[in-house]
Amino acid sequence: MALAKDYASVMGRSNEIQKAALGLDYDQFESGRLRFDYEALMTSTGYTLEEIERVQALTGVGNTPILELRNLTALARKYAKPGYGATILAKDEASNPSGSFKARRAACAVAHAKKLGYKGVMAATSGNYGAAVASQAAMQGLKCIIVQECFDSNGVGQPEIIEKARRCEAYGAEVVQLTVGPELFYSFLSILEDTGYFNASLYSPFGIAGVETLGYEIAMQCRAKYGKDPAMVVCTSAGGGMVTGTARGLIKAGAVNTQCVGASIDLTGLHMASDKQFNLKSCTTGHTGFGVPYAVDPDHSDVPRSAARPLRYLKRYVTVKQGDVMYITEALANLEGVERGPAGNTALAAAFSLAQELPADEYIIVSETEYTGAGKHVQPQLAFARQNGIEIFFGDPNKEDKPGKNIVLPKDPSYIKTIDMDLDHMRASFIKKACKKRNILDPCDDDIKFLMEETLATEEFVRNVVAGLK
């Protein structure tokens, strides 16, 4: 008998569809009212760090070089006080087969799908992950379907997303392009159910475990080349996988004093799922429209429990402006002769500012670079912004930037400044959402301990937030 394929019916079968598509029963990790065993979820992959390195090496993923950005470092020191201005380094993840760090996540997930006997893989993504999954599927001889939000309701597509769709198709994947809205997850689940493919989710433990090698490599390479651990590693933060995996890798390398910093473009006021606002964004990922919601509510993804949990690891979370990222992208090309795409340059813009806070004998590492292409260049993005009525001018981004209204390019590099997000506010939001989901007003001691682990908060902080629930 054919299954009902209306929206409510498909969404109602979400858990069983996901269980079949991952070969993983998430119920085994649940315990108590709030707690689930996160570390057991991560070890459920069955792969050690060394085994993941081996899996990635088979398809040419990982062991990417570190680039010393000497000219950007010199420029940052020009605006720092005497004796300050850490050396800026970049982990060149564009060297991976598909051109981004997402190849690490995809290599682990797709290899596991092959091992379990799945005939194909799927991913719901508008970004670089689609190209990474498609690339790895081609290497493994598996079929691939990528589902992406691409258009607004008028059929106007984001140049950056369209560029990534071309990349996926070049690797032989089928790309299903949708308008922005709730149909993404419904369509993804429906096709997943019909095909019986593996869900190569960004948020599965396989995906996050694949990023651990990145953090591990950063620590080991920095020690080998410079004789010390980096003071900071700056990660572009969207869904939280980069922060989570990199931090876990740093910890496994013993770099416990390295500060893991998340960075997002400030798009306050624009909603990531709004049809009217979809094409008013100058970037499709690495912004607060993803970074904040996924930090405070990580389990609203395409798996029952997301393995990307940034608040477990973030020591600091900063924002930069749209114009900062555009400017630093051009500066990277003009000063360093290195042309890279926009997502990694979010972290680079933040690192340029943060380097000025650190002594000159320290090192700050941008955790990724990514490939660039026709729709991902600065000029097509700025041209698209103008077509959508966005004003573009030079000025002070931190005073004049209005997301959805303008893009303010810094009038000189001194105007590139990070703004710290209130992590305590985000921690409180996480705690409230977690309790509200399960209608819990009186968390027990075990629940409190779990919330402390999830948010890196003190017991006093958690209990004060919980007291407000009543």
Side-chain angles (χ1 to χ4, degrees), residues 368-382:
E368 63 170 316
T369 63
E370 60 167 307
Y371 84 96
T372 191
K376 295 175 70 175
H377 282 280
V378 170
Q379 292 307 323
Q381 287 296 317
L382 292 178

Side-chain angles (χ1 to χ4, degrees), residues 362-433:
E362 296 289 357
Y363 297 90
I364 183 169
I365 298 186
V366 178
S367 63
E368 63 170 316
T369 63
E370 60 167 307
Y371 84 96
T372 191
K376 295 175 70 175
H377 282 280
V378 170
Q379 292 307 323
Q381 287 296 317
L382 292 178
F384 186 69
R386 289 189 185 96
Q387 290 168 17
N388 284 279
I390 304 297
E391 186 182 7
I392 301 167
F393 59 90
F394 285 90
D396 184 344
N398 282 313
K399 290 183 178 179
E400 300 173 274
D401 179 79
K402 295 178 182 178
K405 302 290 185 182
N406 63 31
I407 295 174
V408 184
L409 301 165
K411 53 188 175 182
D412 71 56
S414 69
Y415 286 85
I416 300 174
K417 296 292 183 183
T418 57
I419 302 292
D420 275 87
M421 296 282 285
D422 186 346
L423 274 177
D424 278 348
H425 179 76
M426 295 174 71
R427 290 176 179 121
S429 180
F430 180 102
I431 293 165
K432 291 173 185 177
K433 287 178 181 292

Side-chain angles (χ1 to χ4, degrees), residues 269-339:
L270 294 182
H271 195 285
M272 66 177 179
S274 167
D275 173 59
K276 290 183 178 179
Q277 296 174 356
F278 182 67
N279 284 326
L280 297 181
K281 303 167 187 167
S282 65
C283 51
T284 61
T285 187
H287 56 71
T288 51
F290 282 108
V292 174
Y294 276 91
V296 301
D297 187 15
D299 292 326
H300 72 292
S301 61
D302 57 356
V303 290
R305 288 286 195 177
S306 174
R309 310 190 84 81
L311 288 186
R312 279 180 169 255
Y313 302 100
L314 274 178
K315 303 293 178 62
R316 192 171 174 184
Y317 187 12
V318 301
T319 61
V320 291
K321 302 301 184 181
Q322 303 167 89
D324 295 336
V325 178
M326 301 289 184
Y327 189 101
I328 208 71
T329 299
E330 291 282 87
L332 178 66
N334 288 316
L335 296 182
E336 301 288 353
V338 176
E339 188 179 37

Side-chain angles (χ1 to χ4, degrees), residues 201-272:
S201 168
L202 279 161
Y203 306 107
S204 78
F206 307 105
I208 303 306
V211 187
E212 290 181 5
T213 59
L214 174 59
Y216 188 83
E217 284 175 24
I218 284 173
M220 302 305 286
Q221 289 175 321
C222 195
R223 287 173 192 163
K225 192 169 183 178
Y226 302 104
K228 64 193 300 184
D229 290 339
M232 282 185 186
V233 175
V234 188
C235 305
T236 300
S237 187
M242 164 62 89
V243 168
T244 304
T246 301
R248 288 177 62 85
L250 288 167
I251 292 168
K252 289 186 177 182
V256 294
N257 293 320
T258 297
Q259 191 176 28
C260 195
V261 180
S264 296
I265 298 173
D266 181 4
L267 289 189
T268 302
L270 294 182
H271 195 285
M272 66 177 179

Side-chain angles (χ1 to χ4, degrees), residues 11 93 105 151 172 184 215 318 356 368 408 417 456:
M11 298 303 286
E93 290 295 283
R105 300 168 94 156
F151 304 104
L184 174 68
V318 301
Q356 298 169 47
E368 63 170 316
V408 184
K417 296 292 183 183
L456 273 185

